[in-house]
Amino acid sequence: MFSNPLIRRYRYSLMRPRQFWVYMSIYISAIALLLYINYTVYEYQNVFSSLEDLFRSLYCQFLALQIFTLWFWAAYNSGSAVKDEISEKTFDFFRILPIPARKKASGILVGKNLVVLLLALINCLFLLFFGTMGNLTAKLQGQIFLTLASAAILANSITLLTSINPVKKYKKRGTLSVILIVFLFFFFFVFFGVSAFTEFTKIEGLENVSAKFYNFQLPVLLLISSIVLYFSCWTLKGILRKFTREDQPLFTRNGAVIFMFGYEFVLFGLFFSYLIDGAGAINYSYWAISLLPVLFIHFEALRSFDKYLEHSGFVRERTGSKPNTISSMLLYSNISLGLGLFAIWAVVSVATTLITGLNPLQPLYYILVLFSFFLFLILLLELYVVYSPLSNKIGLLLGFIALVHLFFPLILSLSLENEIIYLFSPLGFFGHILAESMPSIAAQTCILLVNLILCVIPILLIWKRYNHILTARQKM
């Protein structure tokens, strides 16, 4: 592990005796103070009825400390690594390091947190001791450790992934960030750690509490850990992609489709036992939760205008003198990916409706109306892609249009006290579905027509730019 040059670099800077002993002195003092306060409370205040209660309380407090260490402090360090490289003007050196992306990722995630991991290891020893003395079963402690570790991997990988943005200029960190972390620690520890985790460990047999995933009964902590680790793998894959192809979108087209299928599989498994009970509210709640990532995945897989020009050239080389067509552009475009992702969501949503036992005709019309909302939004995104070379402010205009589309009908409905107008907002329409207050077919048809009319101008503008791309490529 220490053959990784990034880990060696961070070890040299973080674990120098002068700096390292500052961390250790603060940690030892804090632990000693914590133990002394708990002993004093046990000896003189009669708060704990037995030594077992004292050790359980200490277990909860050290568990809160471990959560802060691994989920907040470590995640902050991982997220600040690339920002520090950019602010110190060493990011170009970091990019050309002759090591693979996986070593860069592990170098940051491990190297930047060497001190944190050492303190977390010491905390684990305390947790094992206090848990054993507090009569917590080894099975429960093992499940808690697995949940802690899996959530720590996800938190650290997400902060690192979101920080990889070479274009953005980061200011050098000041004392404000340190003060914020200290404040979060005390807030979390005092108001959440001692109270919530004390109640948490009072639940007898927590390690045997199970949840259903499809028709399988699984321990709830193991299920949570498995799902978190699954998404951690995707996040780590995203980090490797951004380190090797930083100018490319986060998802490839195939990756976006596979991620959507995986997300639907996990979510469907969690909802399955509730869906077969025939609860309509659960079905529409599933719709909402499963639709949320569609726009996110589509946004993170956007192909740029330059990629369209590139693709047009490749098609021309393959077909010889045969001119490119709009159909080839549409198949390659972001629009086709968006339609594919929505189709996956729609098929699964129809399946959940059938499993729930609802009449599928009304939900099918809901899906058609929701598609019209979705189509307008992805057309706005495509307008941004094809017109951004002409104006760097086009994103601001299109973002404003999207916000108006989302919120203006809601505001107008409140102002005019008209309960129909808010249905013309995708938020209002989906809220209507979740409330199981069925709008009339006439109202839904009107919404559908309005959305299709709104799509006409974006389609014409996009068509014009596609023709421009094909014409420009033929002249090259």
Side-chain angles (χ1 to χ4, degrees), residues 438-455:
M438 307 298 184
S440 65
I441 295 295
Q444 293 180 64
T445 304
C446 184
I447 296 166
L448 179 63
L449 291 175
V450 169
N451 285 332
L452 293 179
I453 291 170
L454 288 175
C455 291

Side-chain angles (χ1 to χ4, degrees), residues 55-82:
F55 285 122
R56 285 201 172 198
S57 177
L58 284 168
Y59 182 87
C60 297
Q61 294 170 53
F62 273 84
L63 186 58
L65 178 62
Q66 189 77 318
I67 287 175
F68 168 78
T69 302
L70 291 175
W71 295 4
F72 294 95
W73 186 7
Y76 174 80
N77 288 341
S78 300
S80 65
V82 173

Side-chain angles (χ1 to χ4, degrees), residues 160-429:
L160 175 56
L161 177 61
T162 54
S163 70
I164 304 174
N165 187 359
V167 178
K168 188 175 179 180
K169 303 299 181 183
Y170 295 100
K171 295 181 180 179
K172 197 167 184 178
R173 291 175 296 158
T175 56
L176 182 60
S177 300
V178 179
I179 294 172
L180 181 61
I181 284 186
V182 173
F183 171 77
L184 286 174
F185 166 69
F186 281 106
F187 177 82
F188 181 84
F189 181 77
V190 174
F191 293 101
F192 183 70
V194 177
S195 58
F197 280 99
T198 300
E199 296 300 321
F200 177 76
T201 54
K202 285 181 180 178
I203 302 175
E204 296 298 333
L206 178 64
E207 65 274 20
N208 297 318
V209 175
S210 61
K212 273 194 172 183
F213 187 74
Y214 290 96
N215 281 327
F216 300 100
Q217 289 282 354
L218 300 174
V220 65
L221 292 179
L222 289 181
L223 178 60
I224 293 171
S225 301
S226 302
I227 294 173
V228 168
L229 284 174
Y230 170 75
F231 287 108
S232 297
C233 292
W234 275 102
T235 312
L236 292 170
K237 182 174 175 57
I239 292 171
L240 300 183
R241 177 169 172 79
K242 294 303 287 186
F243 277 148
T244 52
R245 297 179 176 86
E246 62 184 34
D247 59 331
Q248 298 293 320
L250 181 61
F251 288 103
T252 62
R253 181 155 293 206
N254 290 335
V257 172
I258 294 171
F259 181 86
M260 187 64 194
F261 273 118
Y263 180 85
E264 291 283 359
F265 174 78
V266 171
L267 193 64
F268 190 74
L270 295 174
F271 274 75
F272 183 76
S273 60
Y274 301 100
L275 290 169
I276 59 177
D277 291 337
I282 296 295
N283 177 56
Y284 295 128
S285 298
Y286 178 91
W287 283 22
I289 299 173
S290 60
L291 186 59
L292 284 176
V294 175
L295 275 174
F296 164 76
I297 297 171
H298 182 257
F299 183 79
E300 291 295 339
L302 282 180
R303 285 171 168 165
S304 65
F305 182 83
D306 292 337
K307 285 295 178 184
Y308 284 174
L309 280 174
E310 226 176 87
H311 170 74
S312 181
F314 290 150
V315 172
R316 187 180 178 188
E317 288 176 4
R318 288 199 305 266
T319 58
S321 59
K322 185 180 178 181
N324 296 331
T325 61
I326 292 292
S327 61
S328 67
M329 289 291 299
L330 285 173
L331 288 174
Y332 183 79
S333 71
N334 300 309
I335 297 174
S336 63
L337 175 62
L339 296 178
L341 294 174
F342 188 88
I344 295 172
W345 173 84
V347 169
V348 177
S349 297
V350 171
T352 61
T353 302
L354 294 174
I355 290 173
T356 308
L358 298 175
N359 184 354
L361 295 179
Q362 183 66 46
L364 281 173
Y365 208 67
Y366 284 162
I367 291 173
L368 184 60
V369 177
L370 288 171
F371 171 73
S372 67
F373 285 117
F374 178 78
L375 180 62
F376 180 67
L377 291 176
I378 65 171
L379 287 174
L380 291 181
L381 274 175
E382 188 68 353
L383 277 174
Y384 169 74
V385 170
V386 296
Y387 279 92
S388 55
L390 300 179
S391 172
N392 57 1
K393 299 296 183 182
I394 189 67
L396 185 62
L397 172 62
L398 296 174
F400 174 75
I401 293 173
L403 289 175
V404 169
H405 186 58
L406 289 171
F407 296 106
F408 181 69
L410 301 178
I411 298 171
L412 191 62
S413 176
L414 290 174
S415 301
L416 300 179
E417 298 183 354
N418 189 313
E419 296 183 357
I420 299 298
I421 296 177
Y422 81 94
L423 294 174
F424 288 82
S425 162
L427 299 177
F429 186 80

Side-chain angles (χ1 to χ4, degrees), residues 453-473:
I453 291 170
L454 288 175
C455 291
V456 170
I457 294 178
I459 288 173
L460 293 176
L461 292 174
I462 291 169
W463 188 278
K464 179 180 178 182
R465 288 297 287 173
Y466 283 174
N467 280 317
H468 170 77
I469 291 171
L470 297 176
T471 303
R473 194 69 203 185

